Amino acid sequence: MSASQTSDLPTLLVKIFGKDRPGITAGLFDTLAAYAVDVVDIEQVVTRGRITLCALVTEPPAGLEGDLRATVHSWAESMKMQAEIISGLGDNRPRGVGRSLVTVLGHPLTAEATAAIASRITGSGANIDRIFRLAKYPVTAVEFAVSGAETEPLRTALAPDAAALGVDIAVVAAGLHRRAQRLVVMDVDSTLIQDEVIELFAAHAGCEDKVAEVTAAAMRGELDFEQSLHARVALLEGLDASVVDKVRSEVRLTPGARTLIRTLKRLGYQVGVVSGGFTQVTDDLKERLGLDFAQANTLEIVDGRLTGRVTGEIVDRAGKARLLRRFAAEAGVPLAQTVAIGDGANDLDMLNAAGLGVAFNAKPVVREAAHTAVNVPFLDTVLYLLGVTREEVEAADMVDGE
């Protein structure tokens, strides 16, 4: 039945609510089936063991509506439920042009924050069509399906609320393309891993304080990355190459990193890393985590010692965006269907080039420029921005015995 056919058709909204138990949905529709009604829409929600079931059905044949109402109420009472039946015309009103998905991450998610976000959405001229919880831990993640406002203006309107309310808010366009994203590319230092790799090397050279100062300035965008890279690497001159294995063993993955990559691979995504760090570490991560792509700078080693120089193509801010495009081309994925994750100023070009750029526990300049920001220390929360629920992740782990 088309929308035009149902717009003026008499309908009944049948609402059932009470304690959830098996058989409620089947029982309601068994009851309605006796009156030859057609189903126009169904919505069911279960929260803390309480069910709300709404069925929009066509009006029964003439003279039977009263009997239908009495029968539904009687059935509901027998199930120790409550029933409400409302007469009307047609289906839901058509949704406005412009469909977006607003994902909110809170730790915790307060009523105050939820009220402010809902108010901002409706104040932007949009309508909240549906709200769905994606996860309850390690953060609370909920998704608002919104219509009637374009994605970019809505993202701009909600951005100030995220910082003020202490939550993370991501706004993406709804549609099939969201499910088609098939390439995720991450920065490594302070994103995929908790460490800055050059600082791990510097600790073995006894110059970590000097390197840390230059690293911090570079990540804030105060220094040219290539110049700072050469300056830091020069401090490593003379280190024995055996330090590479020691650094690899010291690298700490960010909480949730394995879960993120494992889940993305199950979904058919390709996953890569780009780093201003070093291939001596990223190649090892690629093998350990089953990554599809990895590119970084390479420390030059001669006669078993670091020379204090790097070789090959420099991976800097522009290089990361260039590599994102290269990986996308090799993967056969349109750039609009890529996701980039990073924390520093040298990730900005990559984040802006991707279809969705995620600033992960990032510096202020990066948070302000990225499409969205995640400010909790769990990398797998990025899955919620892609519409993947915690329950789906756990179910897949159980099936695979992990």
Side-chain angles (χ1 to χ4, degrees), residues 49-218:
R50 309 291 291 184
I51 185 173
T52 300
L53 170 60
C54 294
L56 188 66
V57 299
T58 55
E59 190 179 60
L64 293 182
E65 181 178 335
D67 190 46
L68 179 150
R69 287 174 175 269
T71 303
V72 169
H73 279 286
S74 177
W75 169 82
E77 289 177 9
S78 73
M79 298 292 290
K80 298 183 179 179
M81 308 281 287
Q82 297 181 61
E84 182 180 3
I85 303 175
I86 303 171
S87 300
L89 293 176
D91 197 350
N92 301 315
R93 65 180 182 179
R95 288 189 288 172
V97 175
R99 309 283 174 81
S100 299
L101 296 169
V102 179
T103 305
V104 180
L105 309 180
H107 189 56
L109 178 60
T110 65
E112 177 188 10
T114 306
I117 293 164
S119 178
R120 183 72 69 184
I121 291 172
T122 55
S124 300
N127 185 68
I128 300 171
D129 300 320
R130 183 170 299 168
I131 304 174
F132 177 72
R133 187 180 73 183
L134 296 168
K136 60 183 178 181
Y137 72 91
V139 299
T140 300
V142 295
E143 181 178 271
F144 295 75
V146 175
S147 62
E150 296 299 330
T151 299
E152 286 299 330
L154 187 59
R155 181 183 290 153
T156 301
L158 287 168
D161 293 318
L165 298 168
V167 297
D168 297 326
I169 303 175
V171 184
V172 299
L176 293 176
H177 70 279
R178 189 195 194 199
R179 297 181 178 273
Q181 288 173 325
R182 285 291 181 264
L183 174 66
V184 175
V185 176
M186 288 175 275
D187 174 44
V188 175
D189 293 9
S190 299
T191 299
L192 177 64
I193 66 174
Q194 300 177 59
D195 313 282
E196 293 288 330
V197 167
I198 196 165
E199 293 179 7
L200 296 179
F201 276 100
H204 292 280
C207 59
E208 58 265 46
D209 290 343
K210 293 180 180 178
V211 166
E213 289 176 9
V214 180
T215 298

Side-chain angles (χ1 to χ4, degrees), residues 179 181-182 260-270 383 386-388 392-393:
R179 297 181 178 273
Q181 288 173 325
R182 285 291 181 264
L260 172 66
I261 294 169
R262 182 173 66 240
T263 304
L264 291 173
K265 299 294 289 182
R266 285 170 174 161
L267 291 170
Y269 282 51
Q270 295 187 59
L383 291 168
L386 306 178
V388 180
E392 289 171 326
V393 173

Side-chain angles (χ1 to χ4, degrees), residues 326-351:
R326 182 190 303 174
F327 294 167
E330 292 178 13
V333 173
L335 201 59
Q337 293 173 201
T338 62
V339 180
I341 311 168
D343 74 296
N346 63 331
D347 296 315
L348 276 173
D349 289 3
M350 174 178 73
L351 297 181

Side-chain angles (χ1 to χ4, degrees), residues 266 396-402:
R266 285 170 174 161
D397 284 347
M398 290 179 64
V399 169
D400 289 351
E402 298 184 9

Side-chain angles (χ1 to χ4, degrees), residues 316-326 335 349-350 353:
D316 56 8
R317 175 169 170 168
K320 288 187 174 185
R322 184 169 60 250
L323 287 165
L324 171 70
R325 294 185 176 93
R326 182 190 303 174
L335 201 59
D349 289 3
M350 174 178 73

